[in-house]
């Protein structure tokens, strides 16, 4: 039984082109990933050689402009969904992020960066030769973008940057960092976006040990009088908020699908376990309480996936608002947490031992609930937008 195939085959949003992408990514994962992924998890890093192979297989450039080395002709948000789905199949939550972290920061460069920056940086990223990190979160502000304190003071044709960011994926290994900084006054109107390179004097990093997502490095990064050329600014000075919010909205949409994908991994492992495990003289799945638990898990996943697919269609039509995406991400993270918990109960003691997919997924539900905006922040944002006006 494959829940991965069923959801695509029974949705009006997917056709043979999406299936072709799914099968292509699946072949790459089986050929280049499955034999070594546990070693990468232990090493806390996917080798650069593997990232380059992923680029050669077309994974890094999916949906990005062809003139910079991507493939965008006929590509929509649903092609990206199926790519995430197949990268989730091994059950390592940080693996999709390790390969496609650039999807968070690269759209800002493409939308607002100077042409010289695009020509210099984007092809390197899409070829897997360089890594890109996206840096918003700070120790003092968390999900609250309005409280960013990292400051970039303009001195002639350079900015001098001081401050810090934390919980940055690829924080230790990236070559380029898309960084939200404060160039103006307090609040949202004083924000700008800079591209900072890792070899800049005064730029340092500290690795962070995490509960999950071990396969993808995470760090705090520090700026001590880091000088950045003005031409490394992305978009207008004090005009970065709109770009950041547009990118965060896309991040939340894909995070919601990420939750569905890993919830399906947990359900599939639990269902297979229940069919094989014998208890009290019969298969675990032959106990009514287990069957109903599995059915309820599928109900939660399918309902959330339907919302994700609808949001994907609305995004294609430019009809999706930030409040809708905030609520969608909360729905998805709470669904993932419940499904992972129920899958762990089906597996019993096996889910508490390292080596099962469910054990990893259960550990990694929290990062989904926090990353890209915590549940509390997103619910409050949606509530203010939907109910406080008028």
């Amino acid at each position: 039984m494959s829940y991965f195939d069923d959801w695509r085959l029974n949705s009006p949003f997917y056709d043979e082109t999406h299936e072709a992408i799914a099968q292509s990514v699946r072949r790459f994962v089986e050929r280049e990933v499955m034999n070594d992924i546990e070693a990468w998890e232990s090493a806390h890093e996917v080798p650069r050689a593997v990232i380059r192979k992923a680029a050669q297989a077309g994974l890094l450039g999916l949906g990005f402009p062809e003139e910079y080395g991507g493939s965008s002709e006929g590509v929509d948000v649903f092609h990206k969904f199926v790519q995430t789905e197949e990268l989730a199949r091994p059950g390592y939550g940080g693996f999709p992020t390790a390969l496609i972290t650039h999807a968070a920061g690269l759209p800002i460069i493409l939308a607002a960066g100077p042409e010289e920056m695009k020509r210099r940086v984007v092809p390197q990223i899409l070829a897997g030769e360089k890594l890109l990190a996206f840096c918003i979160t700070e120790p003092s502000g968390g999900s609250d973008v309005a409280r960013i304190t990292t400051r970039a003071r303009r001195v002639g044709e350079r900015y001098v940057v001081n401050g810090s960011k934390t919980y940055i994926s690829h924080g230790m290994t990236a070559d380029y960092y898309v960084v939200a900084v404060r160039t103006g006054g307090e609040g949202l109107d004083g924000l700008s976006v800079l591209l900072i390179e890792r070899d800049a004097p005064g730029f340092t990093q500290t690795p962070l040990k995490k509960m999950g997502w071990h396969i993808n490095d995470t760090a705090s990064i520090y700026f001590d009088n880091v000088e950045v050329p003005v031409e490394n600014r992305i978009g207008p000075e004090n005009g970065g908020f709109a770009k950041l919010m547009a990118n965060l909205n896309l991040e939340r949409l894909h995070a919601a699908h990420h939750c569905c994908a890993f919830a399906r991994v947990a359900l599939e492992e639990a269902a297979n376990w229940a069919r094989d495990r014998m208890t009290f003289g019969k298969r675990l799945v032959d106990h009514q309480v287990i069957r109903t638990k599995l059915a309820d898990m599928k109900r939660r996943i399918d309902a959330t996936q339907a919302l994700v697919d609808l949001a994907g269609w609305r995004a294609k039509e430019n009809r999706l608002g930030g409040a809708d995406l905030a609520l969608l991400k909360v729905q998805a993270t709470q669904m993932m947490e419940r499904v992972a918990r129920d899958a762990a109960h089906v597996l019993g003691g096996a889910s508490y031992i390292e080596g099962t997919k469910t054990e990893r997924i259960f550990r990694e539900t929290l990062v989904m609930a926090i990353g890209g905006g915590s549940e509390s922040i997103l619910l409050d944002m949606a509530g203010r937008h939907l109910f406080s006006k008028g």
Side-chain angles (χ1 to χ4, degrees):
M1 173 179 279
S2 176
Y3 302 108
F4 290 87
D5 298 326
D6 286 350
W7 71 274
R8 291 195 303 272
L9 296 175
N10 292 291
S11 171
F13 300 108
Y14 302 87
D15 57 28
E16 63 276 4
T17 66
H18 301 92
E19 187 62 27
I21 292 291
Q23 295 305 320
S24 175
V25 178
R26 185 174 301 185
R27 288 191 297 270
F28 172 83
V29 169
E30 291 173 350
R31 182 180 69 250
E32 304 290 351
V33 174
M34 293 304 297
N35 290 337
D36 299 307
I37 193 168
E38 181 60 32
W40 305 339
E41 176 88 348
S42 298
H44 294 194
E45 185 178 353
V46 176
R48 289 286 184 113
V50 175
I51 295 175
R52 287 192 290 269
K53 288 181 180 179
Q56 292 165 7
L59 274 65
L60 305 192
L62 188 68
F64 291 104
E66 295 179 11
E67 62 183 302
Y68 302 112
S71 57
S72 57
E73 183 67 29
V75 174
D76 61 23
V77 65
F78 298 104
H79 291 97
K80 294 186 177 183
F81 283 174
V82 298
Q83 175 177 268
T84 297
E85 190 82 10
E86 293 301 326
L87 293 176
R89 287 176 69 87
Y92 292 77
F95 180 60
T97 302
L99 284 190
I100 55 177
T101 293
H102 63 279
L106 209 56
I108 296 179
I109 295 177
L110 289 167
E115 188 59 32
E116 184 279 330
M117 180 188 295
K118 297 178 190 177
R119 298 289 178 190
R120 176 170 58 92
V121 172
V122 178
Q124 294 179 325
I125 302 298
L126 298 184
E129 298 297 332
K130 301 287 186 179
L131 298 181
L132 179 73
F134 186 45
C135 311
I136 293 181
T137 305
E138 297 185 352
S140 61
S143 299
D144 189 355
V145 177
R147 292 184 60 193
I148 283 175
T149 60
T150 296
R151 178 162 290 280
R153 178 173 57 89
R154 185 161 178 173
V155 180
E157 292 304 306
R158 292 183 175 273
Y159 289 101
V160 179
V161 182
N162 285 281
S164 64
K165 302 289 181 178
T166 194
Y167 313 136
I168 305 303
S169 294
H170 278 329
M172 294 299 299
T173 54
D175 303 282
Y176 299 110
Y177 297 78
V178 172
V179 183
V181 297
R182 185 165 299 284
T183 48
E186 299 301 314
L188 298 172
D189 293 334
L191 300 178
S192 299
V193 183
L194 299 178
L195 181 72
I196 301 179
E197 301 183 33
R198 68 173 299 158
D199 59 357
F203 175 86
T204 56
Q205 312 125 296
T206 301
L208 299 174
K209 295 183 178 180
K210 310 187 297 293
M211 178 189 296
W213 280 23
H214 294 160
I215 201 170
N216 183 36
D217 74 276
T218 303
S220 291
I221 60 177
Y222 308 94
F223 309 98
D224 183 9
N225 289 323
V226 175
E227 296 188 5
V228 182
V230 169
E231 54 264 30
N232 275 29
R233 190 182 66 225
I234 304 171
E237 187 170 280
N238 299 329
F241 174 68
K243 298 292 184 295
L244 293 170
M245 286 301 97
N247 215 58
L248 279 173
N249 282 337
L250 286 175
E251 182 181 350
R252 289 163 185 164
L253 173 59
H254 287 283
H257 179 70
H258 191 129
C259 290
C260 292
F262 280 97
R264 259 189 293 275
V265 173
L267 171 58
E268 190 162 70
E269 184 172 57
N272 290 337
W273 177 270
R275 283 190 288 269
D276 294 338
R277 181 77 163 173
M278 297 297 295
T279 60
F280 303 101
K282 58 183 178 181
R283 298 183 308 166
L284 190 61
V285 75
D286 293 327
H287 295 277
Q288 183 184 26
V289 67
I290 298 300
R291 290 196 305 271
T292 56
K293 189 180 290 290
L294 293 169
D296 191 57
M297 292 161 68
K298 188 174 189 303
R299 172 186 67 82
R300 293 174 186 275
I301 295 169
D302 288 353
T304 305
Q305 185 69 61
L307 288 174
V308 170
D309 285 355
L310 179 60
W313 175 80
R314 292 179 66 187
K316 284 180 61 178
E317 301 293 317
N318 294 316
R319 296 170 59 181
L320 189 60
D324 298 312
L325 280 171
L327 295 177
L328 173 63
K329 181 177 179 288
V330 174
Q331 165 67 26
T333 55
Q334 292 185 353
M335 174 279 296
M336 179 184 177
E337 184 175 14
R338 175 59 183 268
V339 168
R341 176 185 181 277
D342 286 350
H345 278 265
V346 173
L347 268 69
S351 71
Y352 202 66
I353 304 301
E354 290 186 4
T356 64
K357 296 177 180 179
T358 297
E359 180 270 331
R360 281 191 301 272
I361 293 168
F362 192 34
R363 273 192 287 117
E364 294 173 346
T365 56
L366 187 59
V367 68
M368 299 306 300
I370 294 173
S374 67
E375 290 180 355
S376 297
I377 291 289
L378 294 182
L379 286 172
D380 181 59
M381 185 187 80
R384 282 187 283 109
H385 180 80
L386 295 171
F387 305 113
S388 293
K389 297 179 179 180

